[in-house]
Amino acid sequence: MQRRLSDYRTFVFDCDGVLLDSNRVKTDAFYEAALPYGEDAARELVRYHREHGGVSRQRKFGYFLERIVGECPGSEEAYDELLKRYARCVREGLASCAVAEGAEELLERLPGDAWRYVVSGGAEDEVRWVLAEKGLVRHFHGIYGNPQDKADLVERAAGEHGWAEPSLFVGDARYDHEVAIGHGMDFLFVSGYSEFVQWPEYVDGHDVACVAHLSEVIP
């Protein structure tokens, strides 16, 4: 990070792999949803998912049908069924996932006058539900998720509530960093639960601040 935590006036957190130890839940759900198309196809979707963390499930299943199994892009029935299977698996897994190490304590210690948002690639109702289940909702002014892209969600958060600079995006994927750069935000990469396989090279190559867990930045 370029500044002390107490200097930031707006915080944006990803959910999976940052606030919750839930990345594996999503990965397993993609595999299970795609399994009716065969193990090879399911494994290829998981590979694509891991390489494109932070991207919506809609885009990933669209890629799966068009590029991996070669179905017609207009196959709405197959697309809808993939989304339904995925959502069922995710709901079951999220119920039992743990809050990420240091997340709750860090949220308790953030500046009281700072804006705080969750911007997630997960479905908005799903993210709000699981953060309520884990007792974290009270820490945020707004919780946002797909079907909108993360870049658009940052704009939505600022428009619906408020925004002040300097701002910090806390994420665990390359796309999180790209969104932060696009909005002029500082960025902190959390590696402990990340499934972005190339994260060490990416962090070094882009001079990104990195911690394994949020407990490392608690004031």
Side-chain angles (χ1 to χ4, degrees), residues 68-120:
I68 296 177
V69 301
E71 288 204 9
C72 173
S75 181
E76 294 297 330
E77 185 177 346
Y79 176 76
D80 290 344
E81 185 57 34
L82 282 166
L83 287 172
K84 288 176 184 176
R85 282 200 298 268
Y86 175 84
R88 285 196 297 269
C89 293
V90 166
R91 188 88 170 189
E92 293 170 2
L94 288 178
S96 59
C97 75
V99 174
E101 181 182 323
E104 189 158 18
E105 187 176 357
L106 176 64
L107 293 171
E108 294 279 3
R109 298 195 183 191
L110 292 181
D113 59 347
W115 295 102
R116 310 169 187 194
Y117 301 110
V118 175
V119 168
S120 173

Side-chain angles (χ1 to χ4, degrees), residues 55-69:
V55 173
S56 73
R57 66 191 68 179
Q58 288 88 347
R59 283 176 57 184
K60 289 173 181 175
F61 283 127
Y63 178 90
F64 176 73
L65 289 174
E66 294 174 34
R67 303 290 295 275
I68 296 177
V69 301

Side-chain angles (χ1 to χ4, degrees), residues 50-211:
R50 284 175 167 160
E51 290 180 356
H52 296 82
V55 173
S56 73
R57 66 191 68 179
Q58 288 88 347
R59 283 176 57 184
K60 289 173 181 175
F61 283 127
Y63 178 90
F64 176 73
L65 289 174
E66 294 174 34
R67 303 290 295 275
I68 296 177
V69 301
E71 288 204 9
C72 173
S75 181
E76 294 297 330
E77 185 177 346
Y79 176 76
D80 290 344
E81 185 57 34
L82 282 166
L83 287 172
K84 288 176 184 176
R85 282 200 298 268
Y86 175 84
R88 285 196 297 269
C89 293
V90 166
R91 188 88 170 189
E92 293 170 2
L94 288 178
S96 59
C97 75
V99 174
E101 181 182 323
E104 189 158 18
E105 187 176 357
L106 176 64
L107 293 171
E108 294 279 3
R109 298 195 183 191
L110 292 181
D113 59 347
W115 295 102
R116 310 169 187 194
Y117 301 110
V118 175
V119 168
S120 173
E124 190 164 283
D125 58 348
E126 188 179 274
V127 177
R128 290 178 175 177
W129 167 77
V130 70
L131 292 180
E133 288 289 305
K134 307 302 180 184
L136 300 180
V137 167
R138 62 190 175 88
H139 295 290
F140 300 102
H141 294 94
I143 296 172
Y144 300 95
N146 89 47
Q148 286 183 283
D149 185 84
K150 284 187 175 183
D152 297 325
L153 293 175
V154 170
E155 299 288 342
R156 182 178 157 202
E160 289 186 358
H161 296 280
W163 195 273
E165 296 293 347
S167 56
L168 176 69
F169 195 125
V170 185
D172 72 329
R174 172 171 47 199
Y175 189 57
D176 295 336
H177 182 228
E178 292 171 355
V179 170
I181 290 174
H183 288 82
M185 305 175 68
D186 290 350
F187 185 74
L188 176 65
F189 189 94
V190 182
S191 67
Y193 307 109
S194 179
E195 293 196 332
F196 176 28
V197 178
Q198 294 87 15
W199 74 259
E201 295 86 352
Y202 185 85
V203 164
D204 288 344
H206 292 79
D207 195 26
V208 173
C210 178
V211 294

